[in-house]
Amino acid sequence: DKKARHFRPTLRPFRYDPEFRIYLLILLVATLLLTGSLWMNQLYEGGLACFRHAAFNVVAIMTTTGFGTEDYTDWSEFSKGMLFLLMFVGGSAGSTAGGLKVIRMILFVKVLHLEIEHAFRPNVIRPLRIANTNVDHSLRHEVTVYFSLILVIGVLSSIGLTAIELNTQWVDAPGEKLIDCASAVAATLNNIGPGLGVVGPHSNYTEFSSPGKLLLSLLMLLGRLELFAVLVLFVPSFWRSQ
């Protein structure tokens, strides 16, 4: 029809979409910071090589594709800490990537800002908006609960996995067990694949005991199927209602 004939592709929706802009901003800032760190530590020859290695690993971790071109566990502590944080970011809403998802992070920051403002302006009622669209109060509550669950599950699983692996001898890569276990938890919970330390891109999960692997498998299911879809199976009232 006439409307179809006059259709022109446009990048305008991407330009004004807050999630897309924040996603690209995180990618860009993380890549530049890692490039600077790699260049300062002289791990690669030339700034272009540092940028290439940094960009590839940042994209691979944020998109949770599980690729790795080199063992970034040999990078500086700052670089490894940056990659560890990126494991929790993930992709955009509706994507098959793991992690928290960028839109949840945006909502959480906005909710946090409103709560801080409410502390010194208790009479102000301000709506929460994303791209000029009001966000329902129930969604704000769901995002807050989701972040709390991720934090609680991540911390308790890291401590529990460390306790399980306390007597396990990691001969090939001794490392710090709490850090390695926390990295394994982050990598499985967010469906990253490789993590840091004994589960780095040049290693695997062989060093973990059978109970440890069982816990990590459960975390992988939680991250892949979304928390609430799996946690509801452990609520007795759910089974009584069926």
Side-chain angles (χ1 to χ4, degrees):
D1 57 3
K2 185 176 180 180
K3 182 182 291 187
R5 288 197 304 268
H6 289 281
F7 173 77
R8 293 291 185 275
T10 176
L11 295 177
R12 184 181 179 87
F14 295 98
R15 179 182 177 186
Y16 292 100
D17 181 66
E19 183 183 22
F20 182 72
R21 288 184 296 173
I22 295 298
Y23 187 84
L24 289 184
L25 180 64
I26 295 174
L27 281 175
L28 178 61
V29 171
T31 299
L32 292 178
L33 288 176
L34 280 179
T35 300
S37 177
L38 295 177
W39 182 74
M40 291 177 62
N41 288 277
Q42 299 180 348
L43 294 177
Y44 302 100
E45 294 183 2
L48 185 59
C50 292
F51 177 81
R52 177 168 56 86
H53 288 289
F56 182 91
N57 286 280
V58 167
V59 173
I61 287 180
M62 279 192 62
T63 55
T64 67
T65 50
F67 293 126
T69 55
E70 64 279 319
D71 191 3
Y72 46 70
T73 56
D74 295 331
W75 292 1
S76 66
E77 297 300 318
F78 172 82
S79 299
K80 290 187 288 187
M82 176 72 66
L83 294 177
F84 181 79
L85 293 177
L86 289 176
M87 291 182 183
F88 290 90
V89 176
S92 301
S95 70
T96 57
L100 290 167
K101 303 293 175 56
V102 175
I103 190 62
R104 286 197 182 104
M105 298 180 64
I106 296 175
L107 284 171
F108 184 77
V109 171
K110 285 182 172 290
V111 169
L112 184 62
H113 177 265
L114 289 179
E115 291 299 324
I116 293 175
E117 184 184 32
H118 184 71
F120 62 90
R121 292 178 180 172
N123 296 323
V124 174
I125 300 177
R126 198 183 303 279
L128 193 155
R129 297 176 181 271
I130 296 288
N132 296 323
T133 302
N134 289 336
V135 177
D136 187 74
H137 184 76
S138 61
L139 183 58
R140 296 159 58 175
H141 176 72
E142 179 183 336
V143 168
T144 305
V145 172
Y146 192 90
F147 265 77
S148 302
L149 277 175
I150 286 289
L151 177 62
V152 171
I153 292 174
V155 171
L156 293 182
S157 298
S158 299
I159 296 174
L161 186 60
T162 304
I164 293 173
E165 303 297 328
L166 199 58
N167 296 321
T168 305
Q169 298 297 323
W170 291 345
V171 179
D172 296 333
E176 295 289 341
K177 281 204 172 177
L178 180 58
I179 297 176
D180 291 337
C181 289
S183 171
V185 167
T188 51
L189 184 60
N190 298 299
N191 299 132
I192 305 298
L196 303 173
V198 295
V199 293
H202 285 187
S203 306
N204 51 51
Y205 292 79
T206 306
E207 301 286 350
F208 288 93
S209 62
S210 296
K213 291 175 183 175
L214 184 62
L215 174 59
L216 293 174
S217 298
L218 176 61
L219 292 174
M220 184 181 64
L221 289 174
L222 282 173
R224 182 72 282 167
L225 302 177
E226 292 290 342
L227 293 181
F228 297 114
V230 177
L231 292 178
V232 71
L233 300 177
F234 298 92
V235 179
S237 58
F238 168 77
W239 299 103
R240 289 196 295 266
S241 64
Q242 301 304 310

